[in-house]
Amino acid sequence: MIRAKYAESGKSYIGKHLEKMGCKTLFVVPQNMLKQDIECEAVTLNVFFGIGIDKTNSLPKYDYSGFDAIVFDEIYMSSPFILNKIRQFTLKNPNKIIIGAGDVKQLPSIEPYTNCQNVEDYVDNCIDIIFKHNIFLKTCKRAGGKDTEAGERNIYDDLWIKDMKISDWVAKHFKFTTDIMVSENNIAYTNIRCQALANQVRKRLGKKDKYEAGEILICRLYRHEKEGKFNVNIRWKILEVKGGMIKIQDIKDEEDMRVISEKVADKHFKYAYCDRGHQKAAI
């Protein structure tokens, strides 16, 4: 199990380095958006364990036999149900390299862990049952410029040790702006606000048509068509718009190209200029 005091300390990097060392490595992650940001082959927890939407309708079992190492990344986002699945998997596969990576102070599971114990201690105890060995990284690997180790330490200490009020903490460590064009990657609380902000960004960028080549779309509503499934949170790049039809390409799998109608895009996709906090926080 690889934990770290600070974000960006290299937890996931260790898993990725196994691939460079010749170990065929599979990352198992909580959601699709995170899956697309990993260089190695990756699947979601539900696909890996064959879990249906309501946990009772099983999916086909994932074939992991060709992999030497399995990395359960962002493991603290896993519910107790999933943690037990990981425990059973480790017991059944003693010959695999199995790694957990995560930080109890980063994004938690959307399902409650416990209501009768300290949550951090409880989850740490669950993970310690699964993994016999632990690595704890103390140094932030982002060193230089504004992202210094001292800066990370101050941010951490103010929030987690000094228990500073959130409003004071944000005012101390972050800059404010009224210009939404400072970044084309924004975060909002609701889907409605995401759509409104994305439309405003497109207007500022001078976009004239509803869809234009080069823009990135995020699937926000599951769809299953004869040419394949469209899973939630997968990002697609627009290659061509012609005659009411849109040619799109998976941003990670360049061989996966589809053609959808503007009607389908309107219902099932949103622009990637803004996303909700829970989805962004996992990246």
Side-chain angles (χ1 to χ4, degrees), residues 2 14-15 18-19 21-26 67-72 89-90 93-100 131:
I2 305 172
I14 293 176
L18 287 173
E19 185 83 15
M21 295 174 63
C23 291
K24 182 66 175 174
T25 304
L26 175 69
F67 295 93
D68 306 304
I70 310 294
V71 180
F72 292 98
F89 176 78
T90 60
N93 294 273
N95 295 323
K96 297 282 187 185
I97 299 172
I98 302 174
I99 296 174
F131 299 97

PDB file of all heavy atoms in Angstrom, residues 2 14-15 18-19 21-26 67-72 89-90 93-100 131:
ATOM      1  N   ILE A   2       0.610   2.179  -0.927  1.00  0.00           N
ATOM      2  CA  ILE A   2       1.400   3.401  -1.026  1.00  0.00           C
ATOM      3  C   ILE A   2       0.527   4.583  -0.610  1.00  0.00           C
ATOM      4  O   ILE A   2      -0.470   4.888  -1.266  1.00  0.00           O
ATOM      5  CB  ILE A   2       1.924   3.624  -2.454  1.00  0.00           C
ATOM      6  CG1 ILE A   2       2.709   2.400  -2.936  1.00  0.00           C
ATOM      7  CG2 ILE A   2       2.800   4.871  -2.513  1.00  0.00           C
ATOM      8  CD1 ILE A   2       3.098   2.463  -4.393  1.00  0.00           C
ATOM      9  N   ILE A  14       4.719   5.366  -9.033  1.00  0.00           N
ATOM     10  CA  ILE A  14       5.393   4.095  -8.717  1.00  0.00           C
ATOM     11  C   ILE A  14       4.742   2.955  -9.475  1.00  0.00           C
ATOM     12  O   ILE A  14       5.414   2.073 -10.030  1.00  0.00           O
ATOM     13  CB  ILE A  14       5.368   3.841  -7.197  1.00  0.00           C
ATOM     14  CG1 ILE A  14       6.244   4.885  -6.478  1.00  0.00           C
ATOM     15  CG2 ILE A  14       5.857   2.428  -6.865  1.00  0.00           C
ATOM     16  CD1 ILE A  14       6.203   4.781  -4.968  1.00  0.00           C
ATOM     17  N   GLY A  15       3.403   2.964  -9.499  1.00  0.00           N
ATOM     18  CA  GLY A  15       2.691   1.924 -10.248  1.00  0.00           C
ATOM     19  C   GLY A  15       2.990   1.988 -11.735  1.00  0.00           C
ATOM     20  O   GLY A  15       3.210   0.963 -12.384  1.00  0.00           O
ATOM     21  N   LEU A  18       6.318   0.457 -12.912  1.00  0.00           N
ATOM     22  CA  LEU A  18       6.382  -0.994 -13.082  1.00  0.00           C
ATOM     23  C   LEU A  18       6.289  -1.371 -14.557  1.00  0.00           C
ATOM     24  O   LEU A  18       6.947  -2.312 -15.021  1.00  0.00           O
ATOM     25  CB  LEU A  18       5.251  -1.673 -12.309  1.00  0.00           C
ATOM     26  CG  LEU A  18       5.373  -1.707 -10.790  1.00  0.00           C
ATOM     27  CD1 LEU A  18       4.089  -2.250 -10.170  1.00  0.00           C
ATOM     28  CD2 LEU A  18       6.561  -2.565 -10.360  1.00  0.00           C
ATOM     29  N   GLU A  19       5.475  -0.640 -15.313  1.00  0.00           N
ATOM     30  CA  GLU A  19       5.338  -0.897 -16.742  1.00  0.00           C
ATOM     31  C   GLU A  19       6.676  -0.688 -17.446  1.00  0.00           C
ATOM     32  O   GLU A  19       7.067  -1.472 -18.317  1.00  0.00           O
ATOM     33  CB  GLU A  19       4.267   0.026 -17.328  1.00  0.00           C
ATOM     34  CG  GLU A  19       3.935  -0.215 -18.779  1.00  0.00           C
ATOM     35  CD  GLU A  19       2.926  -1.341 -18.994  1.00  0.00           C
ATOM     36  OE1 GLU A  19       2.272  -1.750 -18.016  1.00  0.00           O
ATOM     37  OE2 GLU A  19       2.831  -1.813 -20.142  1.00  0.00           O
ATOM     38  N   MET A  21       9.504  -1.095 -16.155  1.00  0.00           N
ATOM     39  CA  MET A  21      10.428  -2.145 -15.721  1.00  0.00           C
ATOM     40  C   MET A  21      10.120  -3.495 -16.364  1.00  0.00           C
ATOM     41  O   MET A  21      10.805  -4.476 -16.105  1.00  0.00           O
ATOM     42  CB  MET A  21      10.358  -2.292 -14.194  1.00  0.00           C
ATOM     43  CG  MET A  21      10.850  -1.067 -13.434  1.00  0.00           C
ATOM     44  SD  MET A  21      10.590  -1.232 -11.643  1.00  0.00           S
ATOM     45  CE  MET A  21      11.651  -2.641 -11.277  1.00  0.00           C
ATOM     46  N   GLY A  22       9.090  -3.521 -17.203  1.00  0.00           N
ATOM     47  CA  GLY A  22       8.771  -4.758 -17.906  1.00  0.00           C
ATOM     48  C   GLY A  22       7.602  -5.531 -17.341  1.00  0.00           C
ATOM     49  O   GLY A  22       7.276  -6.618 -17.844  1.00  0.00           O
ATOM     50  N   CYS A  23       6.958  -5.005 -16.292  1.00  0.00           N
ATOM     51  CA  CYS A  23       5.777  -5.658 -15.726  1.00  0.00           C
ATOM     52  C   CYS A  23       4.531  -5.152 -16.449  1.00  0.00           C
ATOM     53  O   CYS A  23       4.264  -3.943 -16.459  1.00  0.00           O
ATOM     54  CB  CYS A  23       5.639  -5.355 -14.231  1.00  0.00           C
ATOM     55  SG  CYS A  23       6.899  -6.119 -13.203  1.00  0.00           S
ATOM     56  N   LYS A  24       3.788  -6.046 -17.040  1.00  0.00           N
ATOM     57  CA  LYS A  24       2.530  -5.660 -17.672  1.00  0.00           C
ATOM     58  C   LYS A  24       1.572  -5.219 -16.570  1.00  0.00           C
ATOM     59  O   LYS A  24       1.182  -6.022 -15.715  1.00  0.00           O
ATOM     60  CB  LYS A  24       1.958  -6.844 -18.453  1.00  0.00           C
ATOM     61  CG  LYS A  24       0.672  -6.536 -19.198  1.00  0.00           C
ATOM     62  CD  LYS A  24       0.877  -5.531 -20.311  1.00  0.00           C
ATOM     63  CE  LYS A  24      -0.407  -5.345 -21.117  1.00  0.00           C
ATOM     64  NZ  LYS A  24      -0.287  -4.278 -22.121  1.00  0.00           N
ATOM     65  N   THR A  25       1.209  -3.932 -16.578  1.00  0.00           N
ATOM     66  CA  THR A  25       0.505  -3.333 -15.444  1.00  0.00           C
ATOM     67  C   THR A  25      -0.890  -2.869 -15.829  1.00  0.00           C
ATOM     68  O   THR A  25      -1.083  -2.236 -16.874  1.00  0.00           O
ATOM     69  CB  THR A  25       1.301  -2.137 -14.890  1.00  0.00           C
ATOM     70  OG1 THR A  25       2.625  -2.574 -14.556  1.00  0.00           O
ATOM     71  CG2 THR A  25       0.636  -1.561 -13.649  1.00  0.00           C
ATOM     72  N   LEU A  26      -1.849  -3.162 -14.970  1.00  0.00           N
ATOM     73  CA  LEU A  26      -3.233  -2.717 -15.151  1.00  0.00           C
ATOM     74  C   LEU A  26      -3.625  -1.816 -13.989  1.00  0.00           C
ATOM     75  O   LEU A  26      -3.458  -2.181 -12.825  1.00  0.00           O
ATOM     76  CB  LEU A  26      -4.182  -3.918 -15.204  1.00  0.00           C
ATOM     77  CG  LEU A  26      -5.674  -3.587 -15.268  1.00  0.00           C
ATOM     78  CD1 LEU A  26      -6.024  -2.967 -16.627  1.00  0.00           C
ATOM     79  CD2 LEU A  26      -6.528  -4.831 -15.023  1.00  0.00           C
ATOM     80  N   PHE A  67      -1.789  -9.819 -16.993  1.00  0.00           N
ATOM     81  CA  PHE A  67      -1.105  -8.732 -16.302  1.00  0.00           C
ATOM     82  C   PHE A  67      -0.270  -9.256 -15.138  1.00  0.00           C
ATOM     83  O   PHE A  67      -0.692 -10.150 -14.401  1.00  0.00           O
ATOM     84  CB  PHE A  67      -2.109  -7.705 -15.793  1.00  0.00           C
ATOM     85  CG  PHE A  67      -2.844  -6.980 -16.884  1.00  0.00           C
ATOM     86  CD1 PHE A  67      -4.066  -7.449 -17.343  1.00  0.00           C
ATOM     87  CD2 PHE A  67      -2.284  -5.864 -17.477  1.00  0.00           C
ATOM     88  CE1 PHE A  67      -4.741  -6.795 -18.359  1.00  0.00           C
ATOM     89  CE2 PHE A  67      -2.949  -5.191 -18.489  1.00  0.00           C
ATOM     90  CZ  PHE A  67      -4.179  -5.667 -18.936  1.00  0.00           C
ATOM     91  N   ASP A  68       0.925  -8.677 -14.979  1.00  0.00           N
ATOM     92  CA  ASP A  68       1.803  -9.043 -13.865  1.00  0.00           C
ATOM     93  C   ASP A  68       1.477  -8.251 -12.607  1.00  0.00           C
ATOM     94  O   ASP A  68       1.655  -8.738 -11.495  1.00  0.00           O
ATOM     95  CB  ASP A  68       3.274  -8.785 -14.243  1.00  0.00           C
ATOM     96  CG  ASP A  68       3.664  -9.476 -15.536  1.00  0.00           C
ATOM     97  OD1 ASP A  68       3.501 -10.705 -15.604  1.00  0.00           O
ATOM     98  OD2 ASP A  68       4.132  -8.790 -16.464  1.00  0.00           O
ATOM     99  N   ALA A  69       1.028  -7.002 -12.797  1.00  0.00           N
ATOM    100  CA  ALA A  69       0.778  -6.113 -11.659  1.00  0.00           C
ATOM    101  C   ALA A  69      -0.591  -5.460 -11.793  1.00  0.00           C
ATOM    102  O   ALA A  69      -0.990  -5.050 -12.888  1.00  0.00           O
ATOM    103  CB  ALA A  69       1.858  -5.044 -11.558  1.00  0.00           C
ATOM    104  N   ILE A  70      -1.301  -5.379 -10.685  1.00  0.00           N
ATOM    105  CA  ILE A  70      -2.607  -4.719 -10.624  1.00  0.00           C
ATOM    106  C   ILE A  70      -2.487  -3.573  -9.628  1.00  0.00           C
ATOM    107  O   ILE A  70      -2.102  -3.787  -8.475  1.00  0.00           O
ATOM    108  CB  ILE A  70      -3.726  -5.673 -10.169  1.00  0.00           C
ATOM    109  CG1 ILE A  70      -3.707  -6.981 -10.982  1.00  0.00           C
ATOM    110  CG2 ILE A  70      -5.080  -4.975 -10.254  1.00  0.00           C
ATOM    111  CD1 ILE A  70      -4.045  -6.818 -12.439  1.00  0.00           C
ATOM    112  N   VAL A  71      -2.811  -2.347 -10.067  1.00  0.00           N
ATOM    113  CA  VAL A  71      -2.720  -1.168  -9.200  1.00  0.00           C
ATOM    114  C   VAL A  71      -4.122  -0.618  -8.956  1.00  0.00           C
ATOM    115  O   VAL A  71      -4.799  -0.183  -9.893  1.00  0.00           O
ATOM    116  CB  VAL A  71      -1.842  -0.070  -9.823  1.00  0.00           C
ATOM    117  CG1 VAL A  71      -1.780   1.141  -8.895  1.00  0.00           C
ATOM    118  CG2 VAL A  71      -0.440  -0.600 -10.106  1.00  0.00           C
ATOM    119  N   PHE A  72      -4.569  -0.669  -7.700  1.00  0.00           N
ATOM    120  CA  PHE A  72      -5.853  -0.074  -7.335  1.00  0.00           C
ATOM    121  C   PHE A  72      -5.583   1.382  -6.940  1.00  0.00           C
ATOM    122  O   PHE A  72      -5.221   1.676  -5.796  1.00  0.00           O
ATOM    123  CB  PHE A  72      -6.498  -0.859  -6.194  1.00  0.00           C
ATOM    124  CG  PHE A  72      -6.939  -2.242  -6.594  1.00  0.00           C
ATOM    125  CD1 PHE A  72      -6.132  -3.350  -6.325  1.00  0.00           C
ATOM    126  CD2 PHE A  72      -8.141  -2.441  -7.254  1.00  0.00           C
ATOM    127  CE1 PHE A  72      -6.526  -4.624  -6.697  1.00  0.00           C
ATOM    128  CE2 PHE A  72      -8.538  -3.717  -7.640  1.00  0.00           C
ATOM    129  CZ  PHE A  72      -7.737  -4.818  -7.359  1.00  0.00           C
ATOM    130  N   PHE A  89      -9.714 -10.444  -3.759  1.00  0.00           N
ATOM    131  CA  PHE A  89      -8.875 -10.569  -4.948  1.00  0.00           C
ATOM    132  C   PHE A  89      -7.425 -10.835  -4.564  1.00  0.00           C
ATOM    133  O   PHE A  89      -6.748 -11.679  -5.171  1.00  0.00           O
ATOM    134  CB  PHE A  89      -8.977  -9.303  -5.797  1.00  0.00           C
ATOM    135  CG  PHE A  89      -8.078  -9.301  -6.999  1.00  0.00           C
ATOM    136  CD1 PHE A  89      -8.424 -10.013  -8.130  1.00  0.00           C
ATOM    137  CD2 PHE A  89      -6.884  -8.586  -7.000  1.00  0.00           C
ATOM    138  CE1 PHE A  89      -7.590 -10.022  -9.247  1.00  0.00           C
ATOM    139  CE2 PHE A  89      -6.058  -8.585  -8.098  1.00  0.00           C
ATOM    140  CZ  PHE A  89      -6.412  -9.313  -9.230  1.00  0.00           C
ATOM    141  N   THR A  90      -6.920 -10.126  -3.565  1.00  0.00           N
ATOM    142  CA  THR A  90      -5.529 -10.323  -3.143  1.00  0.00           C
ATOM    143  C   THR A  90      -5.315 -11.732  -2.602  1.00  0.00           C
ATOM    144  O   THR A  90      -4.262 -12.347  -2.828  1.00  0.00           O
ATOM    145  CB  THR A  90      -5.120  -9.294  -2.079  1.00  0.00           C
ATOM    146  OG1 THR A  90      -5.968  -9.437  -0.939  1.00  0.00           O
ATOM    147  CG2 THR A  90      -5.227  -7.887  -2.622  1.00  0.00           C
ATOM    148  N   ASN A  93      -5.089 -14.227  -5.515  1.00  0.00           N
ATOM    149  CA  ASN A  93      -4.024 -14.016  -6.504  1.00  0.00           C
ATOM    150  C   ASN A  93      -2.695 -13.714  -5.827  1.00  0.00           C
ATOM    151  O   ASN A  93      -2.123 -12.621  -5.994  1.00  0.00           O
ATOM    152  CB  ASN A  93      -4.412 -12.878  -7.452  1.00  0.00           C
ATOM    153  CG  ASN A  93      -5.602 -13.203  -8.319  1.00  0.00           C
ATOM    154  OD1 ASN A  93      -5.469 -13.787  -9.389  1.00  0.00           O
ATOM    155  ND2 ASN A  93      -6.785 -12.816  -7.842  1.00  0.00           N
ATOM    156  N   PRO A  94      -2.158 -14.665  -5.067  1.00  0.00           N
ATOM    157  CA  PRO A  94      -0.907 -14.426  -4.335  1.00  0.00           C
ATOM    158  C   PRO A  94       0.304 -14.240  -5.242  1.00  0.00           C
ATOM    159  O   PRO A  94       1.330 -13.711  -4.792  1.00  0.00           O
ATOM    160  CB  PRO A  94      -0.761 -15.675  -3.470  1.00  0.00           C
ATOM    161  CG  PRO A  94      -1.512 -16.737  -4.210  1.00  0.00           C
ATOM    162  CD  PRO A  94      -2.673 -16.042  -4.837  1.00  0.00           C
ATOM    163  N   ASN A  95       0.212 -14.637  -6.494  1.00  0.00           N
ATOM    164  CA  ASN A  95       1.350 -14.534  -7.394  1.00  0.00           C
ATOM    165  C   ASN A  95       1.362 -13.227  -8.196  1.00  0.00           C
ATOM    166  O   ASN A  95       2.293 -12.995  -8.974  1.00  0.00           O
ATOM    167  CB  ASN A  95       1.359 -15.717  -8.365  1.00  0.00           C
ATOM    168  CG  ASN A  95       1.572 -17.042  -7.645  1.00  0.00           C
ATOM    169  OD1 ASN A  95       2.329 -17.126  -6.688  1.00  0.00           O
ATOM    170  ND2 ASN A  95       0.888 -18.084  -8.104  1.00  0.00           N
ATOM    171  N   LYS A  96       0.357 -12.395  -8.021  1.00  0.00           N
ATOM    172  CA  LYS A  96       0.314 -11.108  -8.701  1.00  0.00           C
ATOM    173  C   LYS A  96       0.952 -10.028  -7.816  1.00  0.00           C
ATOM    174  O   LYS A  96       0.905 -10.099  -6.589  1.00  0.00           O
ATOM    175  CB  LYS A  96      -1.136 -10.693  -8.988  1.00  0.00           C
ATOM    176  CG  LYS A  96      -1.897 -11.617  -9.931  1.00  0.00           C
ATOM    177  CD  LYS A  96      -1.520 -11.373 -11.375  1.00  0.00           C
ATOM    178  CE  LYS A  96      -2.412 -12.195 -12.316  1.00  0.00           C
ATOM    179  NZ  LYS A  96      -1.985 -12.073 -13.731  1.00  0.00           N
ATOM    180  N   ILE A  97       1.544  -9.026  -8.459  1.00  0.00           N
ATOM    181  CA  ILE A  97       1.954  -7.826  -7.735  1.00  0.00           C
ATOM    182  C   ILE A  97       0.708  -6.956  -7.596  1.00  0.00           C
ATOM    183  O   ILE A  97       0.154  -6.502  -8.601  1.00  0.00           O
ATOM    184  CB  ILE A  97       3.051  -7.059  -8.494  1.00  0.00           C
ATOM    185  CG1 ILE A  97       4.293  -7.932  -8.665  1.00  0.00           C
ATOM    186  CG2 ILE A  97       3.407  -5.757  -7.774  1.00  0.00           C
ATOM    187  CD1 ILE A  97       5.346  -7.317  -9.579  1.00  0.00           C
ATOM    188  N   ILE A  98       0.264  -6.742  -6.381  1.00  0.00           N
ATOM    189  CA  ILE A  98      -0.974  -5.986  -6.156  1.00  0.00           C
ATOM    190  C   ILE A  98      -0.658  -4.775  -5.287  1.00  0.00           C
ATOM    191  O   ILE A  98      -0.127  -4.905  -4.186  1.00  0.00           O
ATOM    192  CB  ILE A  98      -2.050  -6.861  -5.495  1.00  0.00           C
ATOM    193  CG1 ILE A  98      -2.344  -8.081  -6.373  1.00  0.00           C
ATOM    194  CG2 ILE A  98      -3.330  -6.048  -5.268  1.00  0.00           C
ATOM    195  CD1 ILE A  98      -3.292  -9.088  -5.750  1.00  0.00           C
ATOM    196  N   ILE A  99      -0.982  -3.596  -5.810  1.00  0.00           N
ATOM    197  CA  ILE A  99      -0.644  -2.342  -5.147  1.00  0.00           C
ATOM    198  C   ILE A  99      -1.903  -1.503  -4.938  1.00  0.00           C
ATOM    199  O   ILE A  99      -2.754  -1.408  -5.820  1.00  0.00           O
ATOM    200  CB  ILE A  99       0.364  -1.532  -5.990  1.00  0.00           C
ATOM    201  CG1 ILE A  99       1.687  -2.298  -6.093  1.00  0.00           C
ATOM    202  CG2 ILE A  99       0.607  -0.146  -5.400  1.00  0.00           C
ATOM    203  CD1 ILE A  99       2.691  -1.638  -7.017  1.00  0.00           C
ATOM    204  N   GLY A 100      -2.001  -0.901  -3.766  1.00  0.00           N
ATOM    205  CA  GLY A 100      -3.022   0.105  -3.518  1.00  0.00           C
ATOM    206  C   GLY A 100      -2.341   1.456  -3.425  1.00  0.00           C
ATOM    207  O   GLY A 100      -1.225   1.563  -2.922  1.00  0.00           O
ATOM    208  N   PHE A 131      -3.434  -5.117   2.745  1.00  0.00           N
ATOM    209  CA  PHE A 131      -2.032  -5.058   2.311  1.00  0.00           C
ATOM    210  C   PHE A 131      -1.090  -5.282   3.492  1.00  0.00           C
ATOM    211  O   PHE A 131      -1.216  -4.643   4.535  1.00  0.00           O
ATOM    212  CB  PHE A 131      -1.734  -3.705   1.661  1.00  0.00           C
ATOM    213  CG  PHE A 131      -2.562  -3.425   0.428  1.00  0.00           C
ATOM    214  CD1 PHE A 131      -3.715  -2.657   0.508  1.00  0.00           C
ATOM    215  CD2 PHE A 131      -2.199  -3.943  -0.802  1.00  0.00           C
ATOM    216  CE1 PHE A 131      -4.485  -2.404  -0.610  1.00  0.00           C
ATOM    217  CE2 PHE A 131      -2.959  -3.706  -1.931  1.00  0.00           C
ATOM    218  CZ  PHE A 131      -4.111  -2.933  -1.845  1.00  0.00           C
TER     219      PHE A 131
END
